[in-house]
């Protein structure tokens, strides 16, 4: 996806017209693809840095869990991370409309992260970086028990972290209800899973009209009250500034990741 196209969009509905046209059928240049299942959406692209990686970052794209949004959203971030010395694992998964939803999407994210065990990467530091619905999936994955590859931290970029409130507010045009497919189970809602044993860093644009700032505020408030290590960084900008690798906000996120890998 061209950066100028992304930054000019203000709603996921419009964004889908662009991402649908630039879905990548195979690994992009410079990446190695690993399939972690038989479904066409069960894969991850690995971007390696020059030299020894400083850690691994699992990039989890957003799009309100809908099939029209794909891992091309995470590709620019993965490339930038590799240039900054990280091994970046750009993860695709089944979404609502192509076999996803609860539990398939969650199963895929878990399996996709665990597939890192098949690589030669040092898994001492494995962080998740997720935008919007990807923020939900990143923080959910950080709370998994019995994982083959446990996450050591997560950065939520304007994440949907309070599913109950998101459903009440109608975020994504009923996206939560479509994703959950029934009564909301506490085990899929990050807000109801605090405290986590690993640190969570939330970052959110003050002008975000797609996922309100209150989503991150509520999560961090609940997490810290429960004794968890969670922080919120508020930045100037909208929902999409967080996934613009040329922005100052991206540098802030790189700093958050670096601190989590120390």
């Amino acid at each position: 996806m061209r950066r100028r196209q992304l930054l000019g969009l203000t709603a996921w509905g419009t964004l889908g017209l662009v991402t649908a046209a630039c879905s990548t059928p195979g690994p992009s240049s410079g990446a190695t693809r690993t399939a972690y299942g038989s479904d066409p959406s069960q894969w991850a692209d690995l971007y390696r840095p020059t030299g020894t990686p400083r850690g691994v970052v699992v990039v989890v794209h957003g799009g309100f869990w809908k099939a029209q949004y794909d891992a091309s959203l995470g590709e620019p971030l993965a490339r930038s991370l590799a240039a900054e010395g990280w091994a970046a694992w750009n993860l695709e998964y089944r979404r609502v409309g192509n076999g996803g939803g609860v539990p398939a999407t969650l199963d895929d994210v878990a399996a996709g992260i665990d597939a890192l065990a098949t690589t030669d990467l040092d898994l001492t530091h494995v962080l998740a970086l997720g935008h919007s619905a990807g923020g939900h999936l990143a923080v959910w994955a950080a709370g998994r028990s019995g994982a083959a590859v446990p996450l050591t931290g997560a950065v939520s970029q304007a994440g949907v972290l309070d599913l109950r409130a998101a459903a009440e507010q109608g975020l994504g045009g009923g996206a939560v209800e479509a994703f959950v497919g029934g009564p909301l189970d506490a085990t899929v809602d990050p807000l109801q899973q605090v405290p986590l044993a690993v640190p969570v860093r939330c970052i959110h644009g003050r002008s975000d009209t797609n996922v309100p700032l209150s989503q991150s505020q509520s999560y961090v408030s609940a997490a810290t009250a429960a004794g968890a290590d969670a922080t919120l960084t508020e930045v100037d900008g909208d929902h999409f500034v967080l996934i613009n690798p040329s922005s100052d906000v991206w540098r802030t996120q790189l700093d958050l990741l670096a601190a989590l890998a120390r």
Side-chain angles (χ1 to χ4, degrees):
M1 172 175 291
R2 298 293 185 264
R3 185 165 59 247
R4 63 179 177 272
Q5 290 176 312
L6 179 61
L7 296 179
L9 301 174
T10 58
W12 283 112
T14 306
L15 184 60
L17 299 177
V18 179
T19 57
C22 48
S23 177
T24 307
S28 60
S29 175
T32 302
R33 179 158 299 183
T34 296
Y36 61 84
S38 59
D39 190 272
S41 292
Q42 293 173 319
W43 54 264
D45 281 349
L46 175 60
Y47 295 79
R48 292 180 182 268
T50 300
T52 302
R54 62 199 300 179
V56 181
V57 178
V58 180
V59 180
V60 190
H61 73 84
F64 281 120
W65 310 280
K66 297 178 181 180
Q68 60 261 48
Y69 311 111
D70 60 32
S72 63
L73 288 168
E75 181 182 332
L77 307 189
R79 291 187 179 279
S80 178
L81 287 164
E84 293 287 336
W86 297 92
W89 188 248
N90 190 30
L91 182 63
E92 188 58 285
Y93 52 89
R94 289 172 291 173
R95 288 92 65 207
V96 175
N98 72 341
V102 175
T105 296
L106 303 177
D107 291 343
D108 282 4
V109 171
I113 294 172
D114 285 347
L116 282 165
T118 67
T119 71
D120 62 354
L121 295 171
D122 181 347
L123 302 180
T124 302
H125 299 292
V126 181
L127 308 171
L129 174 71
H131 179 244
S132 194
H136 160 266
L137 295 171
V139 176
W140 171 85
R144 287 193 301 150
S145 59
V149 179
L151 294 176
T152 57
V155 175
S156 168
Q157 307 164 291
V160 185
L161 303 180
D162 180 353
L163 295 189
R164 184 172 297 159
E168 291 172 352
Q169 295 165 355
L171 299 190
V176 173
E177 293 89 339
F179 170 63
V180 174
L184 178 58
D185 189 322
T187 62
V188 306
D189 188 359
L191 186 67
Q192 298 183 63
Q193 290 298 297
V194 298
L196 298 189
V198 300
V200 174
R201 302 291 177 255
C202 297
I203 184 165
H204 214 121
R206 297 185 184 93
S207 303
D208 194 329
T209 58
N210 296 86
V211 176
L213 178 59
S214 58
Q215 281 281 316
S216 291
Q217 291 172 328
S218 296
Y219 177 83
V220 171
S221 177
T224 55
D229 180 359
T231 64
L232 170 59
T233 301
E234 297 183 16
V235 296
D236 292 331
D238 62 6
H239 193 60
F240 301 107
V241 70
L242 299 168
I243 51 175
N244 174 10
S246 67
S247 70
D248 291 340
V249 172
W250 178 240
R251 176 53 54 183
T252 299
Q253 295 173 85
L254 291 172
D255 291 343
L256 290 173
L257 290 166
L260 287 173
R262 288 180 189 142

